[in-house]
Amino acid sequence: EAGVAQSPRYKIIEKRQSVAFWCNPISGHATLYWYQQILGQGPKLLIQFQNNGVVDDSQLPKDRFSAERLKGVDSTLKIQPAKLEDSAVYLCASSPSVDTQYFGPGTRLTVL
Amino acid sequence: AQSVTQPDIHITVSEGASLELRCNYSYGATPYLFWYVQSPGQGLQLLLKYFSGDTLVQGIKGFEAEFKRSQSSFNLRKPSVHWSDAAEYFCAVGAGDNDMRFGAGTRLTVKP
């Protein structure tokens, strides 16, 4: 079974630039999550999708972050414009139901 | 909302010694509890999980954890640590709606 795929693996941008991350969940998993993991901390949930609908985006900084999952499969997370404090690893996870979340390898973002 | 505390930021053990990583949670109902491991540059890998039933849970790589409701704890144990176990370990608590909160992590160093 293929795991959660994410791209790119690494991204370096300057502050105020825009960036987008892509995630392809495990086939058949209805729930998809985006997490932000700042160095030295545990992952923090940014947004949770159930199919193509948003379940929870209470911790998403909506003035600069956006995410979509238009067809209920893969998803993109965008930051526009980026700030220095957005430097982190962005993890995508998927889950078939109320069960274990399977994580992708993450995208490491560095904002200069 | 649920929360997780991992009291130990960093633990060092000798190879072959036993290991216990502490995790305390806060949640009003019976939680879903997880332990994940993250090696440098990698995503999170599930070690074990507890939903209900037997409070002693066996996981992969020789790890086990015990759910103690009276102490609100879910400590991770391994009888004999291997050098390859050096990594960051995250405890997480989930609610029925899949809302998962992670602890800040415990970094494990293994001495030869």
Side-chain angles (χ1 to χ4, degrees):
Chain A
E1 176 180 84
V4 176
Q6 290 187 248
S7 68
R9 291 295 311 277
Y10 304 92
K11 189 74 175 179
I12 301 174
I13 62 173
E14 295 187 350
K15 60 183 179 183
R16 291 188 288 274
Q17 285 187 322
S18 301
V19 64
F21 312 128
W22 175 82
C23 172
N24 190 23
I26 294 173
S27 177
H29 283 193
T31 312
L32 184 148
Y33 313 79
W34 284 102
Y35 288 86
Q36 180 192 57
Q37 186 178 18
I38 293 172
L39 185 65
Q41 300 181 17
K44 183 185 82 171
L45 180 68
L46 292 176
I47 188 166
Q48 175 184 342
F49 291 95
Q50 181 75 18
N51 296 310
N52 61 350
V54 175
V55 173
D56 182 0
D57 64 357
S58 58
Q59 299 190 87
L60 187 73
K62 299 181 186 61
D63 58 333
R64 297 184 300 106
F65 286 65
S66 64
E68 59 184 14
R69 194 185 183 199
L70 293 176
K71 297 183 179 179
V73 181
D74 55 350
S75 175
T76 56
L77 175 69
K78 297 179 182 178
I79 308 175
Q80 180 180 11
K83 293 185 175 181
L84 296 177
E85 59 261 36
D86 299 331
S87 294
V89 175
Y90 291 85
L91 295 165
C92 179
S94 69
S95 177
S97 62
V98 181
D99 204 299
T100 310
Q101 295 182 23
Y102 297 86
F103 285 82
T107 296
R108 181 176 297 277
L109 173 67
T110 302
V111 182
L112 303 176
Chain B
Q2 63 273 34
S3 65
V4 177
T5 301
Q6 293 181 247
D8 305 304
I9 296 173
H10 183 206
I11 284 183
T12 300
V13 299
S14 298
E15 191 168 16
S18 63
L19 171 70
E20 182 169 27
L21 302 182
R22 296 185 291 165
C23 172
N24 294 99
Y25 69 90
S26 173
Y27 184 59
T30 298
Y32 299 149
L33 294 162
F34 308 82
W35 274 100
Y36 284 86
V37 61
Q38 186 177 38
S39 298
Q42 303 296 314
L44 281 79
Q45 181 184 21
L46 179 70
L47 287 175
L48 47 80
K49 59 187 178 184
Y50 171 80
F51 287 173
S52 64
D54 192 345
T55 57
L56 184 62
V57 181
Q58 301 298 319
I60 62 171
K61 304 184 179 185
F63 286 93
E64 67 177 26
E66 186 171 11
F67 170 57
K68 293 185 177 180
R69 184 188 301 275
S70 61
Q71 299 177 20
S72 297
S73 69
F74 189 58
N75 295 348
L76 182 72
R77 300 193 293 252
K78 186 171 185 178
S80 178
V81 170
H82 187 262
W83 64 265
S84 60
D85 293 325
E88 188 93 17
Y89 291 80
F90 293 95
C91 181
V93 58
D97 60 356
N98 238 347
D99 179 14
M100 194 151 71
R101 303 299 169 99
F102 285 83
T106 297
R107 183 161 60 92
L108 174 65
T109 298
V110 180
K111 294 191 301 183

